[in-house]
Amino acid sequence: MSVRQSLLAILAQGPCYGHQLRHEFDRRTGSVWPLNVGQIYNTLERLERDGFVQRGAADAQGHVYWEITAAGADDVDRWLLSPVARGASTRDELAIKISVAVTLPGTDAATVIERQREESEARLRRLRGLRADRDDADAEGLAHSFVTDSLIFAAEAELRWLDHVSARLTRRPQHALALELDSERPKRGRPARIASAVLI
């Protein structure tokens, strides 16, 4: 959704062709989440189907320019003014991996966590180096720094979470964590829904 809305917001500045949109997206996000041209054109076709953009004229080089519609401009305004709601249902590969590791008999969960910690620390060092190399004196540099800062804060939070998990594991005897396979056969059909907790 953020790619779709970001491309639409860029088009609110003026007509663009596909490669130009990719370049403009990269300028605003520091190329952290590179887009391929196929993804951009698929997104543009969906936006056209939904009435948010329309194809304009092609230039002498054959670039087809896409233009935002009034409905598209309204959608951009709604997106920019709506807070991002982070869903509780998003799967976090690291949280799943460690949760499974601590329940597997014979698995050294502390080693799994330590290896992840080493990788997370290395990533944080790379991000801090990237941040130090960026000049945020202009709008493009400032936009890059916001993205990089967000990634740095997330990496720092991941390390704090790994410390939290390690501390909790040291207080638990290893045998209390192992989960053997459940001998009771699960019933067929969908599992009962669990009410989602509100995350603060």
Side-chain angles (χ1 to χ4, degrees):
M1 180 59 97
S2 60
V3 168
R4 173 186 182 277
Q5 297 301 131
S6 297
L7 297 181
L8 198 54
I10 292 166
L11 286 172
Q13 286 190 276
C16 295
Y17 58 91
H19 284 280
Q20 185 181 10
L21 276 171
R22 181 173 69 172
H23 173 71
E24 292 298 332
F25 181 84
D26 287 348
R27 285 181 63 212
R28 288 160 171 78
T29 61
S31 302
V32 173
W33 303 286
L35 301 177
N36 66 54
V37 176
Q39 181 180 6
I40 289 172
Y41 281 109
N42 285 339
T43 303
L44 286 169
E45 287 170 4
R46 284 194 301 274
L47 287 167
E48 182 182 37
R49 177 200 66 202
D50 296 340
F52 294 138
V53 300
Q54 60 191 16
R55 292 173 202 245
D59 65 11
Q61 290 78 35
H63 299 128
V64 175
Y65 282 78
W66 296 78
E67 301 171 359
I68 195 167
T69 64
D74 289 344
D75 199 57
V76 169
D77 289 342
R78 273 193 301 276
W79 176 61
L80 291 173
L81 295 175
S82 300
V84 174
R86 298 198 186 270
S89 61
T90 303
R91 289 190 179 114
D92 181 323
E93 182 181 353
L94 178 57
I96 292 170
K97 179 180 180 179
I98 290 179
S99 295
V100 170
V102 300
T103 64
L104 293 176
T107 300
D108 183 358
T111 299
V112 173
I113 293 166
E114 186 53 37
R115 288 197 177 154
Q116 181 62 48
R117 171 170 259 297
E118 291 167 4
E119 170 57 30
S120 299
E121 286 174 341
R123 182 166 187 266
L124 181 57
R125 282 192 299 275
R126 289 191 301 272
L127 287 167
R128 285 179 173 158
L130 180 64
R131 178 67 176 91
D133 292 342
R134 290 272 167 95
D135 179 12
D136 59 4
D138 61 10
E140 188 173 329
L142 190 61
H144 289 190
S145 71
F146 288 160
V147 172
T148 307
D149 287 346
S150 173
L151 296 172
I152 287 170
F153 293 158
E156 290 171 343
E158 182 172 285
L159 285 166
R160 285 195 308 274
W161 178 75
L162 289 167
D163 288 342
H164 169 76
V165 170
S166 293
R168 291 190 66 194
L169 281 177
T170 58
R171 296 192 299 265
R172 301 292 300 260
Q174 197 64 22
H175 68 274
L177 297 173
L179 277 179
E180 300 295 336
L181 291 177
D182 195 344
S183 59
E184 187 175 321
R185 288 202 177 282
K187 294 181 179 148
R188 295 184 70 126
R190 291 181 170 220
R193 281 189 167 264
I194 298 171
S196 297
V198 176
L199 298 180
I200 298 175

